Amino acid sequence: MNIPKLKHSDSGNFFLIAGPCAIESRDMALRIAEKLVALTERLKIPYIFKGSYRKANRTKLDSFTGIGDIPALEILKEVGERFDVPTITDFHESQEAAMAASYVDVLQIPAFLCRQTDMLTAAAQTGKVVNIKKGQFMSGDSMAFAVEKVKSVNPAAEVFLTDRGNSFGYGDLIVDYRNLPVMQAHGVPVVMDCTHSLQQPNQSSGVTGGKPALIATIARAAIAVGADGLFIETHPKPSEAKSDGANMLPLDQLEGLLEKLLRIRQAIS
């Protein structure tokens, strides 16, 4: 992938998208980024720092949505410049694509919005790399049309697809690993979202649940199947995270997991 600042892409390793769910503060973002940059440099894993500048899709009205769009985007820009790594964020309305693009290297289309033509074409028009999350209601085959929409506006656009499971009943998700090679057949890199695929949405409490103990299981299977990249949200103290803490990986557990995943990658190469 031709992503600005992306290093170690010739290492043969999978690439990693990781960071907090939402930008909670400058200090927290820099702390997480410093740890992840040092770790991925040592392991020679291509790395993209992730953080949402706003969380628009919340169950309850009073859920945390962000610290403000521009302050959060400025923090993302600072992370990219300070640590010389690419950054990614999601946006939720087509008119926000240009705004977000002026601060980050990769624009992400949220799963629930992956069919929204205006969102996809707006992202394409920025000239940035575009990550499209597969909707929980979509098959891998059907994501070809999302890629087509981006390419119709910008044929040279760099696009990758991210799987985050499929709805299974009212409050659970299940991962169909057939979707990874199916989406790779669209001619784009494919990422497995190892944290959101373990969400338990639509809980009666109004707070999304999760099964973080299974993050390693999802990640190991994805690498064994041949995923090009992994998406993992992480936080020093997930129980204190302001968004999606129920399905995040504790920051201090990421190193051991990545080392195991690299051994799986080497075994199947």
Side-chain angles (χ1 to χ4, degrees):
M1 289 184 299
N2 184 25
I3 300 178
K5 306 179 190 175
L6 188 66
K7 294 172 281 189
H8 307 302
S9 57
D10 59 350
S11 65
N13 292 331
F14 54 86
F15 66 94
L16 176 69
I17 302 171
C21 177
I23 299 298
E24 301 176 6
S25 69
R26 175 179 179 272
D27 288 346
M28 181 63 71
L30 293 176
R31 176 183 171 188
I32 294 172
E34 182 176 29
K35 172 77 172 180
L36 293 176
V37 169
L39 175 58
T40 53
E41 279 289 324
R42 182 177 71 80
L43 298 176
K44 291 184 168 48
I45 295 174
Y47 172 58
I48 304 170
F49 178 85
K50 182 269 170 185
S52 296
Y53 66 88
R54 185 184 346 118
K55 302 303 296 184
N57 177 23
R58 302 289 86 189
T59 302
K60 295 172 65 178
L61 182 62
D62 60 355
S63 295
F64 174 80
T65 57
I67 61 173
D69 292 357
I70 300 304
L73 286 166
E74 288 177 341
I75 291 169
L76 281 163
K77 184 176 181 179
E78 182 179 356
V79 166
E81 292 177 346
R82 175 177 291 205
F83 297 104
D84 193 29
V85 293
T87 54
I88 180 172
T89 196
D90 46 323
F91 68 104
H92 297 83
E93 297 185 39
S94 56
Q95 62 265 32
E96 294 178 3
M99 175 186 72
S102 63
Y103 292 91
V104 300
D105 303 289
V106 185
L107 293 178
Q108 180 171 289
I109 309 295
F112 280 126
L113 301 175
C114 69
R115 283 171 49 93
Q116 298 300 103
T117 302
D118 288 350
M119 292 278 292
L120 293 161
T121 56
Q125 288 166 356
T126 68
K128 295 290 184 174
V129 180
V130 181
N131 175 32
I132 312 170
K133 281 200 165 184
K134 182 184 74 62
Q136 301 92 320
F137 45 87
M138 300 281 283
S139 69
D141 284 311
S142 61
M143 290 303 293
F145 303 109
V147 175
E148 183 181 275
K149 289 177 182 179
V150 174
K151 295 282 191 178
S152 71
V153 173
N154 180 4
E158 294 275 351
V159 182
F160 56 95
L161 297 173
T162 296
D163 193 0
R164 47 86 33 91
N166 282 81
S167 296
F168 187 69
Y170 289 114
D172 208 355
L173 298 167
I174 191 167
V175 177
D176 180 353
Y177 286 94
R178 295 176 299 178
N179 281 319
L180 274 63
V182 166
M183 292 194 295
Q184 285 172 328
H186 303 327
V188 298
V190 172
V191 176
M192 184 71 232
D193 183 338
C194 303
T195 44
H196 289 97
S197 60
L198 291 166
Q199 281 185 333
Q200 293 180 305
N202 305 318
Q203 300 298 301
S204 59
S205 65
V207 178
T208 296
K211 297 179 179 179
L214 293 175
I215 290 172
T217 300
I218 297 293
R220 288 195 299 262
I223 294 301
V225 169
D228 299 289
L230 298 177
F231 180 112
I232 300 176
E233 289 190 339
T234 184
H235 193 282
K237 296 182 179 180
S239 63
E240 298 178 7
K242 296 182 178 180
S243 178
D244 281 2
N247 54 270
M248 294 170 77
L249 183 72
L251 186 59
D252 61 5
Q253 294 182 18
L254 187 57
E255 182 173 9
L257 175 58
L258 291 176
E259 289 174 341
K260 293 176 182 176
L261 295 174
L262 287 175
R263 291 197 290 272
I264 295 173
R265 178 74 168 205
Q266 291 165 3
I268 66 171
S269 297

